[in-house]
Amino acid sequence: MKFYTNINQIGNSILYRGVENGEPIQYRVNYQPTLFLPSRNETEWKTIDGQCVEPFNPGTMKECREFISQYQDVQGFEVYGNTQYIYPFICENHEQDLSYDMSKINIAYIDIETTCEDGFPSIEDPTEQVIAITMVMNDTRVCWGLGTFDVDGIDCRCFDDEKQLLDDFLGEWESNHPHIVTGWNVRFFDIPYLVRRIERLFGDKEAKRFSPWKMVRDRTIKIRNRDELAFEIVGVATLDYLELYRNYTFTNQESYKLDHISYVELGEKKLSYEEYGSIATFYKENFQKFIEYNIRDVDLVCKLEDKLRLMELNASVAYLAKCNYEDVFSQVRTWDCIIHSHLYYKSIVVPQKKSASKDSQYAGAYVKDPIVGRHDWVVSLDLNSLYPHLIMQYNISPETKVDKDKDYTVTPNSILKGKIPNHGEYAMAANGICFRRDVQGFLPALMEQMYADRKQAKKKMIDCQKRQQSGEDTEKEIAKWGTMQMALKIALNSAYGALGNQYFRYFDIDMAEAITLSGQLSIQYIANEINAFLNKTLDTGDYDYVVASDTDSVYLRLGNLVDKVVGTKSQ
């Protein structure tokens, strides 16, 4: 078994970290990518439109960029292939059905504590001392502290000098560089503060010890309209567990502090220090309990992962797409990679990514204003994976879109009123855009395959759960198939979002709106048909049984139906 854990491009080199035959591997290779040019001959490789292309190797990655730049303004001279060279490299060097073993992925869970003599520590000006670090990695549990303490089951390392503490921590980190580092808010506090503090005390060279390639790069990221400083540790993926939780749990919480989330998910809380009034008083008056507080934070994140398996879910999506772990946080990047790898193994090349702008907004989902009041016997009916099924139903894909003028008279309402005749030659979406029916597009084919794979994974998970009830130990199999079906669900449901993003290779407002307006058509059609059926069956005239509807769901009030069927019978 061979799988990657992190791949980076530096200059003309690919920096590879992974696992092969159960052992970690790391190497640097000069990579010469393959581009594709149109050919008049019959060839193995095709474009998404079915045109023949032949491979061409300009040389290094730099020479590939220069070649593309040289011919970019030449009319009719198209160059094909993914120029984000990490992803072709992944496909060229790994099987399509890539197997991986989470137990071989080295994950470091960390949490740091600092002094706060002058308020909350600043990453830009890291004057506060690092006085505690806890790291759990594989079976190793280590705590570094600037003081005296002792905790059972922990490798306790006590120091009276911060520089010695940090140097020892870096030595432990370097002895077994993790593939992933995680923790609660680790991306925007723990890692940036550690890097900046080490740079301040030792210089830039020492901070580079975090990376197995001795490369650490800073960047500013806008999060909720605020600029946040983050660091890329080349070779190590920083997966903030707070971000994983926000992305993958699909629930709104009143607070995303670790104390609240751990209580909601585990029934456990952080260690309280309220008797000391402030964190500064806490570490000065009871350093032993302060260290236990630090360890507790790491243990809570470990327990969250044991229950939720969000790291495994993230890895599953990354290996499905053939991208890096951190790429999964971007719908656009994930779906660009899913499509690229899907087409690559079919010997189909992707077009060059072109700049685009979103000049106008497009219609979203249909939401019916709810009927206000108290209702009896309310039930919800949900359309399963609506947007992926609409992509399949209308054969929505870049190469199947028919190049003809849009019919602006076509709307969900005009279709529902029967004003639009059936278009036999093409599949016409509810915004008037037509798609070919004679050949299946790559996007609906991908939806169909992924949906079938998800159903199969879910079936295997349920089978394992039944066997577990009979006494078999199927816990690992349940987790495996549960993670796989959830990864496929997340990927399927994010495809539409990528299509409507101007930075997506296949961005097309017409296609995005074809999906949303066809979704409006579907949900309104269902509401109309349900009302017609129930009114006829119950002889209730023009009563509105649909209390509300939203995107892919309708909510029905069935009090009339229950009264007619059950009447005054006792329950």
Side-chain angles (χ1 to χ4, degrees), residues 162-203:
E162 183 194 9
K163 292 180 75 171
Q164 291 177 354
L165 182 155
L166 291 171
D167 184 62
D168 192 78
F169 165 74
L170 284 172
E172 182 70 28
W173 179 280
E174 277 186 307
S175 69
N176 188 17
H177 271 115
H179 297 116
I180 297 171
V181 59
T182 190
W184 204 261
N185 201 31
V186 71
R187 186 181 181 207
F188 296 116
F189 178 69
D190 300 74
I191 292 297
Y193 196 88
L194 279 173
V195 171
R196 279 287 188 249
R197 183 65 180 168
I198 288 168
E199 287 176 344
R200 188 185 188 97
L201 294 178
F202 298 99

Side-chain angles (χ1 to χ4, degrees), residues 9 12 14 30-38 43-46 53-65 67-68 78-93 340 344 347-352 505:
Q9 175 190 337
N12 287 319
I14 292 290
N30 289 326
Y31 178 53
Q32 296 194 346
T34 300
L35 300 177
F36 295 86
L37 303 177
T43 59
E44 175 190 359
W45 292 88
K46 304 286 192 299
V53 290
E54 56 188 7
F56 176 70
N57 297 98
T60 65
M61 287 182 272
K62 179 184 178 183
E63 289 168 333
C64 285
R65 288 192 295 271
F67 177 81
I68 292 169
E78 295 289 336
V79 181
Y80 296 88
N82 194 337
T83 53
Q84 293 176 305
Y85 298 120
I86 288 171
Y87 309 113
F89 180 87
I90 290 174
C91 291
E92 289 172 22
N93 290 276
H340 169 260
Y344 175 86
S347 299
I348 299 173
V349 298
V350 299
Q352 290 291 301
R505 188 185 304 267

Side-chain angles (χ1 to χ4, degrees), residues 279-297:
I279 194 81
T281 305
F282 183 26
Y283 64 71
K284 288 174 183 175
E285 294 189 2
N286 194 340
F287 194 72
Q288 172 69 33
K289 186 176 179 181
F290 179 74
I291 287 292
E292 292 169 4
Y293 168 87
N294 175 235
I295 294 168
R296 174 79 163 172
D297 282 4

Side-chain angles (χ1 to χ4, degrees), residues 113-376:
E113 306 295 343
T114 71
T115 58
C116 47
E117 300 302 309
D118 298 312
F120 193 80
S122 166
I123 293 168
E124 287 76 15
D125 185 24
T127 57
E128 302 289 350
Q129 286 186 308
V130 176
I131 55 175
I133 306 174
T134 295
M135 180 169 70
V136 173
M137 187 157 53
N138 298 329
D139 297 325
T140 305
R141 294 163 57 83
V142 186
C143 183
W144 295 261
L146 206 59
T148 303
F149 62 95
D150 185 45
V151 180
D152 289 342
I154 299 285
D155 179 357
C156 298
R157 303 184 187 183
C158 305
F159 297 86
D160 54 18
D161 179 79
E162 183 194 9
K163 292 180 75 171
Q164 291 177 354
L165 182 155
L166 291 171
D167 184 62
D168 192 78
F169 165 74
L170 284 172
E172 182 70 28
W173 179 280
E174 277 186 307
S175 69
N176 188 17
H177 271 115
H179 297 116
I180 297 171
V181 59
T182 190
W184 204 261
N185 201 31
V186 71
R187 186 181 181 207
F188 296 116
F189 178 69
D190 300 74
I191 292 297
Y193 196 88
L194 279 173
V195 171
R196 279 287 188 249
R197 183 65 180 168
I198 288 168
E199 287 176 344
R200 188 185 188 97
L201 294 178
F202 298 99
D204 294 352
K205 185 178 179 181
E206 287 298 291
K208 291 177 181 178
R209 292 170 64 186
F210 274 106
S211 164
W213 302 106
K214 300 298 182 281
M215 299 179 194
V216 176
R217 301 183 288 212
D218 65 333
R219 53 182 174 158
T220 301
I221 300 170
K222 191 169 285 296
I223 301 291
R224 295 174 184 83
N225 295 319
R226 287 180 54 190
D227 288 336
E228 299 280 2
L229 179 66
F231 283 85
E232 178 190 4
I233 301 172
V234 177
V236 180
T238 302
L239 300 183
D240 196 315
Y241 214 85
L242 168 57
E243 291 182 87
L244 289 170
Y245 189 86
R246 281 183 181 273
N247 277 23
Y248 294 143
T249 55
F250 310 108
T251 57
N252 291 320
Q253 298 290 350
E254 62 184 72
S255 168
Y256 284 91
K257 292 182 178 179
L258 179 58
D259 190 53
H260 178 74
I261 299 301
S262 61
Y263 183 72
V264 168
E265 297 291 349
L266 307 170
E268 299 183 36
K269 299 194 121 188
K270 289 162 63 85
L271 202 60
S272 173
Y273 59 88
E274 62 182 358
E275 67 269 30
Y276 297 97
S278 70
I279 194 81
T281 305
F282 183 26
Y283 64 71
K284 288 174 183 175
E285 294 189 2
N286 194 340
F287 194 72
Q288 172 69 33
K289 186 176 179 181
F290 179 74
I291 287 292
E292 292 169 4
Y293 168 87
N294 175 235
I295 294 168
R296 174 79 163 172
D297 282 4
V298 175
D299 285 343
L300 287 173
V301 176
C302 290
K303 288 180 179 181
L304 285 170
E305 174 59 14
D306 285 342
K307 177 189 176 185
L308 302 174
R309 298 181 179 271
L310 301 184
M311 304 282 283
E312 189 169 347
L313 181 57
N314 176 274
S316 186
V317 175
Y319 290 127
L320 171 71
K322 308 296 184 297
C323 64
N324 281 315
Y325 303 141
E326 291 159 303
D327 292 330
V328 175
F329 289 112
S330 165
Q331 285 183 342
V332 168
R333 180 64 57 83
T334 302
W335 262 99
D336 194 56
C337 290
I338 287 174
I339 291 171
H340 169 260
S341 61
H342 170 77
L343 295 177
Y344 175 86
Y345 294 112
K346 294 179 179 293
S347 299
I348 299 173
V349 298
V350 299
Q352 290 291 301
K353 189 174 181 179
K354 300 187 186 303
S355 60
S357 60
K358 189 182 289 188
D359 299 324
S360 60
Q361 297 298 314
Y362 58 90
Y366 174 75
V367 179
K368 176 183 176 178
D369 290 334
I371 299 173
V372 179
R374 181 180 179 276
H375 308 287
D376 294 329

Side-chain angles (χ1 to χ4, degrees), residues 529-559:
E529 289 298 305
I530 288 174
N531 269 329
F533 172 78
L534 289 174
N535 278 311
K536 181 179 178 181
T537 302
L538 301 176
D539 194 22
T540 47
D542 196 25
Y543 186 79
D544 192 354
Y545 287 90
V546 180
V547 176
S549 66
D550 182 5
T551 310
D552 59 357
S553 303
V554 291
Y555 302 88
L556 310 177
R557 47 180 176 177
L558 298 180

Side-chain angles (χ1 to χ4, degrees), residues 10 32 158 160 186 407 414 417 425 449:
I10 301 295
Q32 296 194 346
C158 305
D160 54 18
V186 71
D407 185 348
S414 65
K417 291 176 181 178
E425 184 180 0
Q449 175 190 317

